[in-house]
């Protein structure tokens, strides 16, 4: 990787660095890694004189992100956007490398160009998946790991998946422990539309309102921690 999330906070009151939370969004803030600045300068100089860019990073989520980051950096340094090919191979042999390239490495206009653009383009769904993993690392791992160092042992790392999964389990368990049951009733009536006593013409009807006021029914209408209390959004409803 030549870029990563910034170690600096966007705003001083943030807990997590490298993410801009402005407007309720989670926008990553990237910087070029200090140890890769020399490599980036070399690549930029080579890019200035080339006619086409071929991206041959690993054929996985991390490799796709590496290719995307490289394109983002290079495009900022050159006004003219060069065509690029994203090639993929699983072994470093002459045959595999040559087979990964199209018959002509220069994009041509016409119908064939659309096929090439699809076959030799960056898979942005993998880029977004890798970016999401990095954001979760900052949101979960970077905030939980220091707690582990203090409470259990130094050097432990909190996983982005395990930490969030454990938090959800604890949250649901607390809801279960603090839950206070509330009894409520529904009313279902059967109406006979005929004058005889057979079951033909019988319809079922459920009471949903009383004097034009709806009835409270279901867990969403009641406070989970206080018995027989409606939530504010359902305070206008009848509880029977």
């Amino acid at each position: 990787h030549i870029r990563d999330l910034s170690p600096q906070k966007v705003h001083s009151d943030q807990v997590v660095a490298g993410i801009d939370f402005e407007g309720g969004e989670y926008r990553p803030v990237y910087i070029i890694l200090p140890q890769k600045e020399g490599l980036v300068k070399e690549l930029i100089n080579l890019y200035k004189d080339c006619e086409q860019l071929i991206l041959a990073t690993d054929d996985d989520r991390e490799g796709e992100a590496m290719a995307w980051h490289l394109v983002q950096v290079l495009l900022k340094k050159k006004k003219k956007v060069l065509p690029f090919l994203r090639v993929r191979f699983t072994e470093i042999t002459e045959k595999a490398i040559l087979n990964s390239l199209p018959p002509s490495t220069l994009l041509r206009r016409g119908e064939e160009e659309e096929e090439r653009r699809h076959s030799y383009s960056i898979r942005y769904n993998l880029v977004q998946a890798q970016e999401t993993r990095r954001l979760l690392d900052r949101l979960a791992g970077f905030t939980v790991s220091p707690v582990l160092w203090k409470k259990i042992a130094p050097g432990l790392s909190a996983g982005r998946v395990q930490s969030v999964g454990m938090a959800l389990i604890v949250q649901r368990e607390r809801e279960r422990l603090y839950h206070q049951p509330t009894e409520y009733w529904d009313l279902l009536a059967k109406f006979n539309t005929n004058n005889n006593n057979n079951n033909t013409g019988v319809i079922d009807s459920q009471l949903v309102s009383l004097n034009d006021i709806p009835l409270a029914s279901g867990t969403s209408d009641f406070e989970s921690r206080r018995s027989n209390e409606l939530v504010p959004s359902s305070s206008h409803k009848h509880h029977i």
Side-chain angles (χ1 to χ4, degrees):
H1 287 282
I2 61 171
R3 294 201 308 178
D4 198 5
L5 296 175
S6 171
Q8 304 296 323
K9 298 177 182 178
V10 179
H11 304 288
S12 59
D13 58 344
Q14 286 185 197
V15 177
V16 179
I19 304 176
D20 187 358
F21 299 98
E22 192 72 27
E25 299 183 5
Y26 294 79
R27 289 188 294 273
V29 179
Y30 290 111
I31 63 163
I32 295 176
L33 294 171
Q35 65 271 29
K36 296 299 177 66
E37 289 180 354
L39 174 63
V40 170
K41 290 180 181 179
E42 182 180 353
L43 291 172
I44 291 173
N45 290 331
L46 293 172
Y47 181 68
K48 291 177 181 178
D49 300 324
C50 71
E51 296 181 358
Q52 188 175 52
L53 178 65
I54 298 178
L55 304 167
T57 50
D58 291 344
D59 186 19
D60 56 16
R61 180 175 48 228
E62 294 294 327
E64 217 70 21
M66 292 177 188
W68 178 79
H69 281 291
L70 179 59
V71 170
Q72 298 304 304
V73 171
L74 295 179
L75 289 181
K76 291 180 179 179
K77 301 298 181 180
K78 190 165 185 177
K79 295 181 179 179
K80 182 180 178 181
V81 179
L82 296 179
F84 66 85
L85 296 177
R86 172 67 171 105
V87 299
R88 301 174 180 88
F89 46 85
T90 56
E91 58 184 52
I92 305 178
T93 62
E94 180 180 359
K95 181 180 178 180
I97 294 173
L98 291 176
N99 287 338
S100 70
L101 297 170
S104 172
T105 56
L106 295 177
L107 292 176
R108 298 194 295 269
R109 299 285 181 181
E111 295 180 359
E112 190 177 0
E113 180 181 351
E114 287 299 322
E115 182 180 352
R116 293 178 187 278
R117 184 180 296 116
H118 175 74
S119 302
Y120 300 96
S121 60
I122 293 175
R123 293 170 293 185
Y124 291 101
N125 59 327
L126 294 184
V127 175
Q128 292 170 348
Q130 192 273 344
E131 186 172 72
T132 302
R133 285 168 62 89
R134 291 298 296 129
L135 292 177
L136 288 175
D137 278 338
R138 288 293 175 91
L139 292 169
F142 278 49
T143 54
V144 179
S145 293
V147 179
L148 296 181
W149 302 339
K150 293 179 180 178
K151 301 295 183 180
I152 302 178
L156 294 177
S157 177
R160 69 178 75 86
V161 176
Q162 299 93 323
S163 299
V164 176
M166 180 63 71
L168 291 173
I169 292 172
V170 172
Q171 179 183 356
R172 293 303 300 270
E173 179 63 8
R174 285 174 176 171
E175 290 177 359
R176 188 189 68 81
L177 291 173
Y178 293 125
H179 177 72
Q180 296 296 321
T182 294
E183 183 178 294
Y184 67 92
W185 292 80
D186 292 328
L187 180 60
L188 180 66
K190 293 182 178 291
F191 295 93
N192 191 345
T193 60
N194 298 326
N195 292 327
N196 52 37
N197 292 326
N198 58 39
N199 289 328
T200 60
V202 175
I203 60 173
D204 293 335
S205 180
Q206 183 174 353
L207 182 65
V208 296
S209 64
L210 186 63
N211 295 328
D212 294 330
I213 300 176
L215 299 185
S217 61
T219 56
S220 60
D221 287 325
F222 299 100
E223 292 281 2
S224 62
R225 297 191 178 189
R226 293 192 295 272
S227 182
N228 295 315
E229 286 194 28
L230 295 167
V231 297
S233 59
S234 300
S235 59
H236 63 290
K237 295 183 179 181
H238 275 309
H239 175 200
I240 60 174

